[in-house]
Amino acid sequence: MDPQQAGSNDTVYSLRQIVDSLTDQDPRTGEIVPWLAERWEISPDARTFTFHLRPGATFSDGTPVNAQSVKDNFDTIPKLGTLAVLGTGYLSGYEGTTVVDDLTAAVAFKQSNAQFLQATSTFSLGLVSGASIAKTPQQRCSEGVIGSGPFVLSKYEPAQAITLTKRAGYNWGSSLWTKKGEAYLDTLAFKVVPEAGVRSASLTSGQVDAIGSVSRADEAALKGGGASLQARANPGVVFNLSLNNSRPILQDQKVRQAILFAIDRKQVADTVFPTDTHPATSILAHTTPGYKDLSSDLAFDATRARSLLDAAGWVPGSDGIRQKDGVPLRLTVSWFANAATNKPTLELVQQQLKAVGIDLVLKELQIAQAAQLQRSGDFDVLWGNLTRADPDILRTLYSTQLANAYRLPPTQLDNILTDQAAEPDPAKRRDLVAQAQQLIVQNAYAIPVVELQTELGVSKNVHNLGFEASSRIQLHDTWKS
């Protein structure tokens, strides 16, 4: 119940509605535009960002959204550490915030930080009240937080439902929103319905107004029932096999590359995911600023995968699984039931890897275990993605100078990731981001598989339900007929 700690897309759908951000990002152009901040200045070295806040905004407990609240939030988020891995990464090198006056906050960094302005548009840096900051991280997750957004938390039933109600008097929305003032809808109810067929039936029968995680098998029925399908690829890091590069088997580049070439990404996209889902063509999705097409480096080539494993000394056993020094080529992938596509995708990948002699064991865990598992390093492979409409998401995940959850060795990649985050020149930054993508893919530090396409089934009675820049939903402008 804390957007600064949230990592699951489904959680973000609801919590995005209760917090405002300093800025917003236009999903069509990527431009950063005003929200709580009316305007801002950036120092030539991109180390200091001065925000001028709009007057009159308050948190739902009545306390003001002012420069001191900006400082309190940004001072606190890094202390959450890996509990807030996204926000902590966005604020790496944070030196402090100066309260220039009540509505002016100057945020300073120890080094240039070109990615920070976009970061201020994200839910991870959405502002919460002083009362919420005073709670423990665990209390914030279980009890919820107080934001300044157009909706407030009304009820939380773990693993069942989240209910939000409209914030009376709200009048400081994003400059991208078409409606001024309060939201249209009085109540938002988010219900957990794990079964795809039940979700679809609930929409067609009118029990719910919109559903997420639309099953490919249900698309035709939903359209036939009058529902519309709205889809957009999530920017950021694609669904991938996130390798623990410190594991002895995975320290061998040939093995990692063999996994990369053994996967038929088009078959995965066309078999499991919604219509028009893109196979991965880089570690970044094509909707991410700075994306570089590396499809030739990710071409399916089972013959090449087998040759790499031969060269690495892995010999096929009687059961087809390769062995080396009596040890089978076996890896366990941990996955979470937070998306209906996860299990069938991994079962298909499991078959593809078995065809070249790699035994992939599937291990289901609860999404609440994800952060702890990453911190512990007690895994071979994790399945997942991470959404952000800025290429600095690569530094968050793959710099050894940050959390380094996937235990990459220190290489030139670190310097490139650091340099792109500090580079104020957009063209130079794009070049650095392209180099980073190439190093990650060609060294197979992670195995890109398929882009996450957020697809919603929406009732014909629902209007103006759209995607923001990170392909999550913003419900202030949404209304029903």
Side-chain angles (χ1 to χ4, degrees), residues 16 19-20 38 41 52 55 85 122 174 181 192 218 220 227 277 295 309 313 325 333 340 358 360 372 412 418:
R16 172 75 274 192
V19 293
D20 294 321
E38 292 182 318
E41 294 95 33
H52 302 273
V85 64
T122 67
S174 163
V192 178
D218 292 328
T277 294
S295 51
L309 293 174
D325 300 327
V333 57
I358 300 172
L360 188 68
Q372 174 57 36
Q412 67 182 112
T418 299

Side-chain angles (χ1 to χ4, degrees), residues 3-4 28 40 43 70 75 84 110 124 157-158 164 198 245 269 294 299 313-314 357 415 433 453 478:
Q4 292 179 359
R28 297 164 299 176
W40 49 86
S43 64
V70 174
D75 285 355
K110 296 174 184 175
S124 300
E157 303 167 81
L164 310 180
V198 177
N245 286 262
L294 298 174
W314 292 94
N415 293 332
V433 169
Q453 177 171 273
T478 305

Side-chain angles (χ1 to χ4, degrees), residues 268-336:
V268 172
D270 292 347
T271 304
V272 179
F273 284 83
T275 302
D276 298 326
T277 294
H278 289 236
T281 51
S282 175
I283 189 64
L284 292 177
H286 76 280
T287 49
T288 316
Y291 155 83
K292 182 176 177 60
D293 186 349
L294 298 174
S295 51
S296 60
D297 293 315
L298 290 167
F300 170 54
D301 190 339
T303 300
R304 188 173 180 184
R306 294 186 185 96
S307 296
L308 284 163
L309 293 174
D310 289 341
W314 292 94
V315 180
S318 58
D319 59 355
I321 301 302
R322 292 173 180 262
Q323 297 183 2
K324 184 178 181 180
D325 300 327
V327 177
L329 183 46
R330 179 175 295 124
L331 297 166
T332 298
V333 57
S334 299
W335 65 280
F336 312 100

Side-chain angles (χ1 to χ4, degrees), residues 125 262 294 355 481:
L125 297 187
L294 298 174
S481 59

Side-chain angles (χ1 to χ4, degrees), residues 90 111-112 114 138 160 205 230 247 276 282 288 355 371 385 406 413 419 437 460 478:
Y90 301 163
Q111 71 285 322
S112 299
Q138 292 73 25
Q160 296 183 53
S205 67
Q230 298 177 202
R247 289 293 207 233
D276 298 326
S282 175
T288 316
N385 77 301
Y406 305 116
L413 176 62
D419 290 347
Q437 291 169 77
K460 61 184 178 182
T478 305

